[in-house]
């Protein structure tokens, strides 16, 4: 079992019935627990029993929802704060079905200082994982102020609320985007940082804010996790990547081709200096990524030491290789056309995963076939309601 989370200073949980802005999951929501592979049917230990809780900002989103499940499986509890700007309203119900226990959700904005204070007052929070952010690199070029406001304002508000509550353990969602165009492959954490768009700027700025804050007070223990390319979905096929707008990323777009919503994948360039001319990335199964958060949190608790690690597999796949893997999952060849290179793209980004292995004992286990099969199971189930 993981070590117990230390409690925030002097805080006591109060009753939640009837509180404005909080919704305990209602259960059900059209999801039949009996239809969930791997659902135990047993109740899972909750924070009410343990009195210890992890705050997940953006916890209804893609990576946050899978991390919620992984935390529960590891014996932790979690409270979600999400404004549902990029998450479906039924995610909490689905998390209840998967974990077999109530899900506590605060609907609101991570920049809302009063709401954050209330969450810390009402829950014995021992640590936070900060997922909530805007994440579309292309959109950030059109709306830089929105990205600066949500991504920097959200982190700042959370850090202030945590300090006020005496909670000093934080895991932060960073990105391989902070490496810009990597000069060395696979990319080690020591590689120079840069950015190519306002989204990347906000992730780099957040890392730098965390460095300054961490250096200011020894009580802080901060994990900066640089994700490579998360894909796939939970084995239950109840949660997964569910873009509310246009699918900008490769796998969500391929999924829409498989569903028949789009005619063909546009391959952004076949003249890159890679083995087949298409872009190469380090795709990591979202369940592996979620497990990485639990291990990082465990390390923060056990050692009190801040750390920055890559979360990737160390293995790169080209666009055409991923399309072939998805085609295998679907059982037919999915069409593609070659399109011009996308602005801001780079040829290849692959993680050096050795620090995460040495420091946290983390190794990604699932391969691209599992990533694509689980994505397909999720999107085809979602299509059928
Ligand atoms: P996501 O959009 O699915 O999840 C983010 C969640 O935050 C959503 O549920 C959204 O509703 C919520 N949110 C957004 N703004 C909010 C606000 N102001 N207040 C409260 N909630 C808010 O994205 P994701 O893929 O799960 O990404 C999670 C984190 O990981 C983000 O910080 C993202 O930048 C980072 N990241 C993602 C990727 C990726 O490819 N998915 C790669 C690297 C880093
Ligand atoms: N691609 C296509 N067609 C598409 C979409 C993508 O050919 O319709 C190609 C891209 O050119 C690239 C590869 O597929 O070669 C992967 O593209 P994604 O958009 O899925 O992922 P990126 O690596 O470009 O970027 C993602 C996030 C970034 C983040 C980065 C690293 O969008 O915000 O992963 O974490 F910074």
């Amino acid at each position: 079992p993981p070590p117990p989370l230390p409690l925030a200073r002097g805080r006591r949980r109060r009753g939640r019935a009837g509180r404005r802005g909080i919704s305990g999951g209602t259960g059900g929501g059209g999801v039949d627990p009996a239809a969930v592979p791997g659902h135990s049917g047993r109740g899972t230990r909750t924070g009410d029993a343990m009195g210890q809780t992890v705050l997940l900002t953006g916890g209804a989103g893609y990576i946050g929802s899978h991390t919620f499940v992984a935390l529960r499986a590891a014996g932790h509890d979690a409270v979600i704060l999400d404004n549902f700007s990029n998450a479906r309203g039924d995610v909490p119900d689905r998390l209840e079905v998967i974990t077999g226990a109530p899900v506590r959700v605060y609907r609101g904005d991570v920049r809302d200082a009063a709401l954050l204070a209330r969450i810390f007052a009402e829950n014995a929070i021992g640590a936070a994982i900060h997922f909530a952010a805007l994440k579309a690199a292309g959109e950030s070029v059109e709306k830089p102020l929105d990205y600066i406001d949500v991504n920097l304002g959200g982190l700042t508000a959370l850090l202030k609320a945590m300090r006020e509550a005496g909670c000093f353990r934080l895991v932060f969602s960073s990105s391989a985007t902070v490496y810009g165009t990597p000069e060395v492959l696979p990319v080690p954490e020591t590689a120079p940082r840069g950015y190519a768009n306002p989204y990347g700027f906000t992730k780099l700025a957040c890392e730098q804010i965390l460095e300054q804050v961490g250096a200011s007070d020894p009580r802080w223990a901060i994990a900066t996790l640089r994700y490579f390319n998360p894909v796939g979905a939970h084995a239950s096929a109840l949660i997964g990547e569910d873009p509310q707008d246009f699918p900008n990323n490769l796998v969500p777009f391929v999924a829409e081709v498989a569903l028949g919503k789009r005619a063909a994948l546009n391959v952004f360039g076949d003249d890159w200096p890679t083995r087949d001319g298409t872009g190469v990335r380090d795709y990591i199964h979202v369940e592996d990524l979620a497990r990485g958060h639990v291990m990082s949190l465990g390390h923060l608790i056990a050692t009190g030491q801040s750390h920055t690690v890559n979360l990737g597999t160390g293995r790169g796949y080209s666009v055409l290789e991923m399309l072939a893997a998805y085609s295998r999952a679907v059982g037919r060849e999915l069409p593609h056309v070659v399109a011009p290179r996308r602005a801001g793209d780079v040829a290849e980004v692959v993680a050096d995963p050795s620090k995460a292995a040495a420091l946290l004992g983390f190794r990604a286990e699932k391969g691209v076939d599992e990533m694509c099969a689980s994505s397909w199971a999720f999107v085809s189930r979602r299509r059928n309601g």
Side-chain angles (χ1 to χ4, degrees):
L5 296 180
L7 302 186
R9 183 188 63 219
R11 300 295 170 182
R12 295 280 180 276
R13 184 193 308 285
R14 294 197 285 268
R16 65 190 172 95
R19 284 186 186 279
R20 192 164 56 85
I22 183 168
S23 117
T26 53
V31 180
D32 175 8
V36 180
H39 178 245
S40 65
R42 283 180 280 112
T44 302
R45 188 171 50 182
T46 72
D48 290 327
M50 295 286 288
Q52 298 167 355
T53 300
V54 184
L55 172 62
L56 303 187
T57 73
Y62 176 45
I63 303 166
S65 58
H66 289 81
T67 302
F68 181 95
V69 175
L71 284 167
R72 280 252 171 110
H76 295 299
D77 191 28
V79 169
I80 291 173
L81 163 61
D82 203 299
N83 67 0
F84 290 83
S85 60
N86 197 36
R88 299 231 189 183
D90 63 0
V91 168
D93 290 338
R94 288 164 179 263
L95 291 175
E96 290 199 348
V97 173
I98 294 169
T99 64
V103 174
R104 207 171 312 121
V105 181
Y106 288 82
R107 288 169 196 271
D109 199 293
V110 69
R111 292 163 295 176
D112 182 341
L115 176 59
L116 282 169
R118 190 158 69 85
I119 294 170
F120 278 97
E122 290 178 359
N123 301 275
I125 290 170
I129 308 183
H130 183 47
F131 299 101
L134 301 180
K135 65 164 186 174
E139 181 190 61
S140 76
V141 178
E142 312 297 321
K143 302 177 175 174
L145 268 180
D146 291 357
Y147 277 69
I148 289 164
D149 196 357
V150 172
N151 295 3
L152 300 188
L155 177 65
T156 312
L158 177 65
L159 288 168
K160 285 159 81 174
M162 290 178 70
R163 185 186 56 188
E164 183 58 26
C167 174
F168 290 98
R169 286 180 174 79
L170 175 67
V171 178
F172 174 69
S173 295
S174 190
S175 167
T177 195
V178 300
Y179 296 123
T181 304
E183 283 163 21
V184 176
L185 291 171
V187 198
E189 288 82 356
T190 48
R193 292 178 295 182
Y195 58 87
N197 50 58
Y199 168 71
F201 165 77
T202 65
K203 287 291 162 186
L204 177 53
C206 284
E207 287 200 0
Q208 292 171 327
I209 288 169
L210 291 171
E211 286 155 17
Q212 310 259 332
V213 169
S216 73
D217 185 331
R219 289 174 296 178
W220 283 106
I222 298 171
T224 298
L225 304 183
R226 295 182 181 150
Y227 313 153
F228 280 67
N229 290 61
V231 298
H234 187 257
S236 66
L238 283 174
I239 53 171
E241 189 165 18
D242 211 357
Q244 304 293 288
D245 301 315
F246 185 81
N248 292 300
N249 296 117
L250 177 65
V251 168
F253 195 100
V254 171
E256 296 206 352
V257 175
L259 287 170
K261 289 190 190 171
R262 319 239 167 221
L265 171 68
N266 299 304
V267 175
F268 296 146
D270 65 353
D271 55 353
W272 295 98
T274 61
R275 53 185 169 266
D276 64 13
T278 67
V280 169
R281 296 290 185 276
D282 184 338
Y283 298 93
I284 177 169
H285 196 296
V286 68
E287 289 193 291
D288 278 333
L289 188 66
R291 197 166 45 80
H293 289 74
V294 177
M295 298 178 88
S296 169
L297 183 64
H299 189 76
L300 284 186
I301 294 164
T303 68
Q305 297 293 310
S306 296
H307 53 272
T308 297
V309 297
N310 290 337
L311 291 181
T313 66
R315 183 136 186 222
Y317 286 85
S318 73
V319 175
L320 293 179
E321 287 165 349
M322 286 305 282
L323 184 64
Y326 215 97
S327 297
R328 285 195 294 277
V330 175
R332 70 192 153 85
E333 198 174 324
L334 299 171
H336 73 273
V337 294
V338 176
R341 288 183 178 189
R342 183 173 64 178
D345 257 356
V346 299
E348 183 163 351
V349 186
V350 175
D352 177 346
S354 55
K355 186 177 175 189
L359 193 72
L360 310 178
F362 173 78
R363 278 180 196 78
E365 290 166 359
K366 295 175 190 283
V368 291
D369 284 317
E370 264 177 291
M371 298 177 206
C372 295
S374 61
S375 163
W376 178 235
F378 170 72
V379 298
S380 42
R381 184 175 174 139
R382 177 60 107 180
R383 172 184 53 185
N384 298 324

